[in-house]
């Protein structure tokens, strides 16, 4: 696929993506009822979105799983890296995101074996690019898979959720190893039928379905849908660095803003890092004001283009052109 401008998403596309952001495993008939079209139309639109790289399903850790199993760092690298070096950065499975910004390449680096491993991985990046700065995350209030289009009405969202299977109150979530196996299996296809999942895991269809429902209800698994942002009109992005007397509360407020797709508290002099997407950079002052009067913005970087997001390499139009399964 070349870097020609992506076609604009139509109303059905946007409604379908929002529905899958809310419940990626919902049956097509339920999705169709929620957005007001027939199931055949839903399937046709989804097939076109996938083939064009305009939308794709995600299976991603929740904040609970990040906090219990992962160390993260925001790494700023010199923007002068060669095309070959950038490609090598993108291919690393533990580099979860890459954005080209006005300050340089901003990378999201993950490690599961503690801070020493995180440090080793950041040093390893020096083989491709000069590391200018490293900020270790203390907590994650929001990340890309939590962002929503906000297209469906409240009534449509209720209809989408109305037939979700209920989880027995007090039911224990699956053990961590079982959750990891489910997540790894569904990573290749979050809509994998429960019968197929059960066969892959060596359990019955009913057991597989209950395990997914319990893990999701416990906040251990999250499924959603990502998209080429320019095709939805979100052609501008920025990274805001800020201070507040209560960084955790400020990060939580940022996570509720409709323009914010990543909010991280880091260890540093400007402990709040918030990434926003908008239709125009003229929206930034209003976004900053809505964040709250106790937040002091100390730096702003313009996102020139996203290069990788949550295991997908993106072209200049924001479309997914390659899948690099995240492993950390």
């Amino acid at each position: 696929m070349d870097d020609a401008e992506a076609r604009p998403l139509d109303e059905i596309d946007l409604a379908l993506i929002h529905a899958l952001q809310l419940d990626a495993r919902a049956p097509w008939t339920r999705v169709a009822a929620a957005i007001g079209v027939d199931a055949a139309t839903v399937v046709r639109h989804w097939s076109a979105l996938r083939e064009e790289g305009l939308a794709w399903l995600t299976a991603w850790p929740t904040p609970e799983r990040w906090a219990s199993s992962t160390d993260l760092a925001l790494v700023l690298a010199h923007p002068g890296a060669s095309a070959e070096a950038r490609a090598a950065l993108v291919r690393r499975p533990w580099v979860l995101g890459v954005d080209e910004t006005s300050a340089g390449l901003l990378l999201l680096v993950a490690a599961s074996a503690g801070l020493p491993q995180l440090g080793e991985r950041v040093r390893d990046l020096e083989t491709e690019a000069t590391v200018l700065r490293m900020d270790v995350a203390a907590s994650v209030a929001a990340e890309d898979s939590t962002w929503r289009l906000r297209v469906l009405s409240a009534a449509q969202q209720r209809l989408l959720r109305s037939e979700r299977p209920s989880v027995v109150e007090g039911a224990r979530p699956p053990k961590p190893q079982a959750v990891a196996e489910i997540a790894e299996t569904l990573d290749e296809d979050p809509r994998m039928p429960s019968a197929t999942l059960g066969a892959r895991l060596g359990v019955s269809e009913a057991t597989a379905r209950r395990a997914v429902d319990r893990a999701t209800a416990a906040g251990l698994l999250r499924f959603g849908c990502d998209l080429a942002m320019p095709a939805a009109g979100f052609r501008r992005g920025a990274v805001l660095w800020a201070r507040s007397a209560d960084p955790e509360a400020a990060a939580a407020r940022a996570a509720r803003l409709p323009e914010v797709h990543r909010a991280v508290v880091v260890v540093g002099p400007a402990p709040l890092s918030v990434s926003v997407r908008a239709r125009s950079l003229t929206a930034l002052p209003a976004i900053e004001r809505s964040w709250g009067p106790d937040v002091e913005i100390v730096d702003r970087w313009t996102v020139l283009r996203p290069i990788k997001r949550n295991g997908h390499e993106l072209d200049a139009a924001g479309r997914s052109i390659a899948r690099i399964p995240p492993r950390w």
Side-chain angles (χ1 to χ4, degrees):
M1 180 181 296
D2 59 29
D3 285 352
E5 185 173 347
R7 68 169 174 86
L9 301 178
D10 64 26
E11 292 183 3
I12 295 177
D13 293 330
L14 294 169
L16 170 56
I17 292 169
H18 188 193
L20 293 176
Q21 287 177 334
L22 297 172
D23 188 352
R25 291 178 59 79
W28 290 131
T29 51
R30 194 196 313 163
V31 173
I35 67 177
V37 298
D38 59 78
T41 298
V42 166
V43 172
R44 185 172 66 253
H45 276 255
W46 179 244
S47 297
L49 290 169
R50 286 189 61 190
E51 290 172 4
E52 296 175 57
L54 291 170
W56 53 94
L57 296 173
T58 62
W60 207 244
T62 60
E64 293 87 347
R65 285 186 66 203
W66 284 123
S68 65
S69 65
T70 307
D71 287 298
L72 295 170
L74 294 174
V75 178
L76 182 66
H78 194 280
S82 67
E84 294 77 10
R86 291 190 184 203
L89 293 173
V90 168
R91 286 195 297 268
R92 295 182 184 276
W94 39 265
V95 173
L96 306 182
V98 182
D99 288 304
E100 182 180 4
T101 78
S102 54
L105 297 177
L106 181 62
L107 291 78
L108 180 63
V109 178
S112 59
L115 292 177
Q117 183 190 55
L118 189 65
E120 290 173 4
R121 288 182 168 174
V122 172
R123 287 192 295 274
D124 192 39
L125 296 175
E126 290 276 4
T127 60
E128 278 88 37
T130 301
V131 172
L132 304 175
R133 171 175 161 183
M134 172 185 178
D135 293 282
V136 176
S139 64
V140 178
E143 47 75 39
D144 297 274
S145 71
T146 62
W147 186 83
R148 301 288 181 261
L149 272 173
R150 305 191 184 204
V151 172
L152 299 179
S153 67
Q156 288 175 303
Q157 293 183 46
R158 285 194 298 271
L159 183 60
L160 182 69
R161 296 186 175 108
S162 64
E163 298 179 25
R164 281 183 175 176
S166 59
V167 176
V168 177
E169 185 176 351
R172 293 182 178 180
K175 294 180 179 179
Q177 181 59 37
V179 173
E181 291 177 1
I182 292 170
E184 183 172 357
T185 304
L186 290 179
D187 180 66
E188 62 185 69
D189 178 14
R191 287 187 63 84
M192 182 183 294
S194 297
T196 305
L197 176 63
R200 296 278 293 273
L201 298 177
V203 299
S204 69
E205 176 182 356
T207 298
R209 183 183 300 109
R210 285 194 299 269
V212 172
D213 293 341
R214 292 202 308 270
T216 304
L220 299 176
L221 286 177
R222 177 171 55 236
F223 305 101
C225 186
D226 203 351
L227 68 150
M229 293 300 162
F234 298 96
R235 300 179 180 278
R236 297 291 182 263
V239 181
L240 307 177
W241 294 88
R243 288 192 288 259
S244 171
D246 188 344
E248 293 291 343
R253 288 201 307 276
R256 293 192 291 269
L257 297 177
E259 301 87 356
V260 170
H261 62 95
R262 183 186 298 164
V264 183
V265 178
V266 303
V267 179
L272 290 164
S273 175
V274 169
S275 297
V276 303
R277 52 174 64 112
R279 300 182 185 279
S280 169
L281 290 178
T282 59
L284 277 181
I287 294 170
E288 294 174 8
R289 286 194 299 271
S290 65
W291 194 355
D294 64 317
V295 175
E296 177 192 4
I297 308 294
V298 299
D299 206 357
R300 300 171 180 85
W301 301 347
T302 302
V303 176
L304 305 179
R305 63 162 289 195
I307 299 173
K308 181 181 182 181
R309 187 167 66 241
N310 289 5
H312 283 260
E313 182 180 0
L314 310 177
D315 68 8
R319 293 169 295 210
S320 174
I321 55 174
R323 169 77 168 143
I324 302 102
R327 298 290 182 269
W328 62 89

